[in-house]
Amino acid sequence: MKVNDAVPGAILIVFAAGVFQQTLGFPPMPGQDYGSRLFPQVIAGLMTLCGLSLIATGIANRHSEPLFVPAEWMRSPPHFVNFLLLVGLLIFYILVAGWLGFIPTAFIILTLLMTRLRGRGHLISTLAIAAVASLVMQQFFGQLLRVPLPWGIVPPVYW
Amino acid sequence: MDPISLAFGLILDPYVLTVMVLAGSFGLFMGAIPGLSATMATALLVPVTFFMEPVPALAAIVTATAMAIFAGDIPGALLRIPGTPASAAYTNEAHTMTMNGKAEMALGLSLTGAILGGLFGSAVLATSAPVLADIALRFSSFEYFWLACMGLTCAAFVSSGTAVKGFVSLLLGLFIATIGIDPMSGHPRFTFGNVDLMGGIQFIPAMIGMFAFAEVIRSVTATTPHFRPPQERIGNIFKGLGPVLMRYKVNLLRGSVIGTAVGALPGAGSDIAAWISYAVGKKFSKEPEKFGTGHPEGIVDAGSSNNAGLGGSWVPALVFGIPGDSITAIVIGVLYMKGMNPGPTVFLYQPELIYAVFLSFFLANLMLLPLGLTAIKSSKRLLLVPREILMPIILLFCIVGTFAINNTVFDVGVMLVLGLIAYLMEENGFPIAPAILGLVLGPLLEDSFITSMIKADGDLLAFFDRPIAAALGVVTILIWIVPLVVRLRRRGRLPEGVG
């Protein structure tokens, strides 16, 4: 996805304005000229300058660089679905891993993504790989490195 | 016992050696597969090293990166696809050699160049870092402020893409670093009442998101068909190598020197070192017309340069806490996590740990010989590993690695958001490395500025009171001003020229 430089430039200026507005609420350090608002304000100021420079470049190149050129995958429905699935699966993990548990959630994520990328023809090997990978990951991080990966609906099994 | 004997004891521990061999194999695997870079290998390794003692943790990172940078040459030579960006400079040359039936020679030169360049970089690191650290002991917050400014400026200028885009990336990193409770005033900034944001954005989720998850997005949305594995058999890679290496010994030394120097420059890593060395090699060659036709000279120059760059980039990281590239930016984060605050004092209080890191550099480059040879021999199989299976597993690794640090899914969300931002940025020519450098160096920059101002009672001229600070300050300001002046002068002259 390629956009004309003026687009990130404009986004940057709006973002910098928001940052600056937020810093106005930061209290000054007693007895000091420089406090917690200084750095964010300097960053916002420099972001605005960079934003203006990007807008100028974008306008200068407006004939050669259109405002928005979608990436090839955006025009190819199967690849677009891959992207949505990837992001969706991460959100799915964030939402359900706590109560469903790491092993089932990881198994679902691996199965869905691998089936999508490899096709249904490899379903049996996909299921096997997903199961082994989820269990190995739980064993390695959960048992060996003591990361408290959630057990959820699965009873904690130590082996 | 003296620190060097202690360091030998630390590094020759069977546990550390096993960790190094495993990390080395992991690095070779990651480097040899196109699309998985040395930085990604480091990003995925960090959550695991989080649970180790400092020496095995750092030795693992050193070994994995040295292996990954070399392994990037394998698909470069066999498939014309660089395994890591550091191999891109001479991929064409190496592949043309393969096409001419000299695959063994191309890979042999890559491997020996990598080992010798890597050893050179390690020697420079081991000899120069303690000397520089001695000087750095005299530094105060004023000098550190300028060093951080200089490091960040170079990072933005040297990175790929235009300087403005490098700066935008840097500013984004610096902004992310301000999120959370301000340690000076104790006031929360940009947290919007969210408890998870109070502690700030942790660098591990940010780094995994920007380097690993962004790569997974690129891979699953790639519309170009996957490559076919190579068909040819790889014979003895050392056959006829000696005379060629002897003929190009100057190139070997020059590549190593340039690699180490460029690596030490903040913001420029092994990939830029390889491009520069290749260009320099061509400029000074007696047969520049042969470059690009499967000529070994450029491979010697650039192949030794990228591995030498690794050692070089650790010099500013260990001595000043200023990272040389994105890998050392990650290393600095690891050092802080391990309680080894990078900077000259670590040479004073924990010299055995620093010497152990130096030894791990030498050992990793020596290990490159057997492990690299194994990787070359098994390259056919290595390149057959299907991306459709690998990417989902890497995604799971990203999730678990992110979660492992604070044990909260909030960090998984941070990884998702920053990964998407990094993907969009890279698609539009914004480099990612400056953002990570900004994130790591932001707190140092702000703390050293505020501390200096408290000491000097708000007098900005105090930044020029001490001689080293004044010199660093003048150089930094020149780096800011000179490009602007040159640009303005060029613009002023242009209409005359046109008219």
Side-chain angles (χ1 to χ4, degrees):
Chain A
M1 190 181 88
K2 187 105 182 67
V3 290
N4 181 294
D5 280 351
V7 178
I11 295 172
L12 209 58
I13 291 173
V14 173
F15 184 76
V19 169
F20 192 84
Q21 192 270 333
Q22 278 288 314
T23 59
L24 298 177
F26 298 167
M29 275 224 283
Q32 286 298 322
D33 298 340
Y34 309 101
S36 54
R37 61 167 75 168
L38 174 76
F39 256 68
Q41 284 181 348
V42 171
I43 292 170
L46 292 173
M47 274 183 174
T48 310
L49 287 180
C50 288
L52 289 172
S53 166
L54 284 174
I55 289 178
T57 324
I59 291 174
N61 298 337
R62 64 188 179 281
H63 298 300
S64 55
E65 274 185 23
L67 211 55
F68 176 77
V69 183
E72 264 183 53
W73 59 265
M74 288 177 170
R75 282 171 289 184
S76 152
H79 292 95
F80 195 66
V81 172
N82 286 357
F83 174 79
L84 291 181
L85 182 69
L86 182 67
V87 174
L89 287 175
L90 260 186
I91 296 172
F92 171 74
Y93 183 91
I94 294 170
L95 295 178
V96 309
W99 66 265
L100 188 61
F102 173 76
I103 295 175
T105 319
F107 178 75
I108 293 170
I109 288 178
L110 288 179
T111 307
L112 288 179
L113 194 56
M114 269 196 259
T115 310
R116 171 79 209 147
L117 297 177
R118 304 176 76 204
R120 283 186 203 159
H122 297 92
L123 191 61
I124 294 174
S125 65
T126 292
L127 288 171
I129 295 169
V132 171
S134 316
L135 290 172
V136 167
M137 208 74 106
Q138 162 73 44
Q139 178 71 8
F140 183 70
F141 277 94
Q143 257 66 267
L144 215 61
L145 301 178
R146 308 255 167 239
V147 176
L149 293 170
W151 283 103
I153 53 166
V154 183
V157 186
Y158 298 94
W159 67 87
Chain B
M1 233 197 300
D2 68 305
I4 297 182
S5 321
L6 275 173
F8 267 103
L10 283 171
I11 208 79
L12 295 177
D13 179 349
Y15 169 71
V16 177
L17 293 176
T18 314
V19 165
M20 283 179 83
V21 171
L22 290 176
S25 313
F26 172 71
L28 281 173
F29 178 77
M30 296 291 282
I33 302 214
L36 311 182
S37 63
T39 318
M40 188 184 189
T42 319
L44 293 178
L45 199 61
V46 168
V48 180
T49 59
F50 184 68
F51 301 92
M52 293 177 189
E53 292 290 310
V55 170
L58 292 168
I61 294 176
V62 168
T63 320
T65 46
M67 302 288 169
I69 296 283
F70 157 69
D73 296 353
I74 300 175
L78 299 180
L79 304 170
R80 204 162 167 256
I81 308 170
T84 67
S87 305
Y90 50 100
T91 290
N92 210 7
E93 198 82 68
H95 187 252
T96 315
M97 280 185 85
T98 305
M99 290 285 100
N100 298 343
K102 293 185 191 159
E104 286 86 2
M105 175 65 79
L107 288 169
L109 282 175
S110 288
L111 182 61
T112 40
I115 295 171
L116 296 173
L119 287 173
F120 182 88
S122 313
V124 172
L125 169 69
T127 46
S128 67
V131 179
L132 284 170
D134 218 25
I135 301 170
L137 271 178
R138 279 170 254 161
F139 285 10
S140 68
S141 59
F142 297 101
E143 284 83 9
Y144 275 107
F145 171 75
W146 286 122
L147 271 179
C149 278
M150 203 191 279
L152 291 173
T153 314
C154 290
F157 272 127
V158 176
S159 57
S160 53
T162 62
V164 175
K165 289 185 173 178
F167 266 109
V168 170
S169 173
L170 175 64
L171 290 170
L172 185 72
L174 287 173
F175 169 74
I176 296 172
T178 65
I179 297 174
I181 292 188
D182 171 30
M184 287 292 177
S185 64
H187 186 265
R189 297 189 290 194
F190 311 108
T191 55
F192 305 101
N194 184 319
V195 185
D196 287 309
L197 279 176
M198 292 274 188
I201 301 285
Q202 300 295 314
F203 108 102
I204 290 186
M207 164 200 84
I208 293 182
M210 293 177 120
F211 289 119
F213 181 59
E215 200 54 60
V216 178
I217 300 178
R218 247 188 300 281
S219 178
V220 301
T221 55
T223 46
T224 43
H226 289 314
F227 53 83
R228 292 162 70 85
Q231 295 307 314
E232 56 261 64
R233 247 183 67 85
I234 309 285
N236 180 7
I237 62 161
F238 297 113
K239 205 173 151 195
L241 198 64
V244 179
L245 277 176
M246 277 310 286
R247 195 182 330 149
Y248 298 121
K249 53 184 183 295
V250 177
N251 302 58
L252 200 62
L253 185 67
R254 188 174 55 207
S256 303
V257 172
I258 293 177
T260 315
V262 173
L265 205 69
S270 298
D271 36 351
I272 295 172
W275 282 108
I276 294 179
S277 291
Y278 186 80
V280 171
K282 191 174 175 183
K283 198 172 164 55
F284 288 100
S285 170
K286 286 181 193 134
E287 321 159 289
E289 71 286 349
K290 284 194 181 169
F291 273 65
T293 61
H295 190 49
E297 204 174 346
I299 301 178
V300 176
D301 265 298
S304 56
S305 180
N306 55 15
N307 271 61
L310 277 180
S313 65
W314 279 61
V315 176
L318 285 178
V319 178
F320 308 116
I322 309 280
D325 60 357
S326 43
I327 294 176
T328 39
I330 300 173
V331 168
I332 286 185
V334 175
L335 288 169
Y336 276 119
M337 286 193 307
K338 298 285 165 208
M340 282 171 75
N341 293 358
T345 47
V346 82
F347 287 79
L348 212 60
Y349 301 128
Q350 294 157 308
E352 69 284 1
L353 294 186
I354 291 295
Y355 288 120
V357 171
F358 295 161
L359 287 176
S360 74
F361 259 96
F362 287 104
L363 204 56
N365 281 297
L366 294 175
M367 272 186 191
L368 196 47
L369 186 62
L371 289 180
L373 210 55
T374 317
I376 291 174
K377 288 283 175 199
S378 49
S379 54
K380 226 166 161 183
R381 237 179 247 158
L382 212 56
L383 293 170
L384 267 177
V385 175
R387 212 90 70 89
E388 298 79 13
I389 295 176
L390 210 55
M391 284 301 161
I393 292 176
I394 289 180
L395 175 72
L396 197 60
F397 223 95
C398 292
I399 295 174
V400 182
T402 310
F403 179 84
I405 308 307
N406 281 338
N407 305 328
T408 150
V409 282
F410 174 79
D411 284 346
V412 181
V414 168
M415 174 196 70
L416 169 65
V417 172
L418 290 180
L420 287 170
I421 291 176
Y423 172 76
L424 287 176
M425 281 170 67
E426 281 208 296
E427 289 290 291
N428 287 285
F430 291 86
I432 298 303
I436 287 289
L437 291 170
L439 182 59
V440 171
L441 284 184
L444 172 71
L445 188 70
E446 185 169 11
D447 292 354
S448 58
F449 180 82
I450 300 284
T451 314
S452 303
M453 284 300 93
I454 291 173
K455 279 195 259 181
D457 210 14
D459 178 17
L460 282 172
L461 286 176
F463 280 106
F464 297 94
D465 273 354
R466 295 160 55 93
I468 303 178
L472 288 172
V474 169
V475 172
T476 312
I477 291 171
L478 280 177
I479 298 175
W480 291 341
I481 293 175
V482 169
L484 280 177
V485 173
V486 169
R487 234 172 116 180
L488 286 176
R489 282 189 67 174
R490 226 183 265 160
R491 227 178 249 178
R493 263 189 220 152
L494 206 60
E496 289 168 32
V498 171

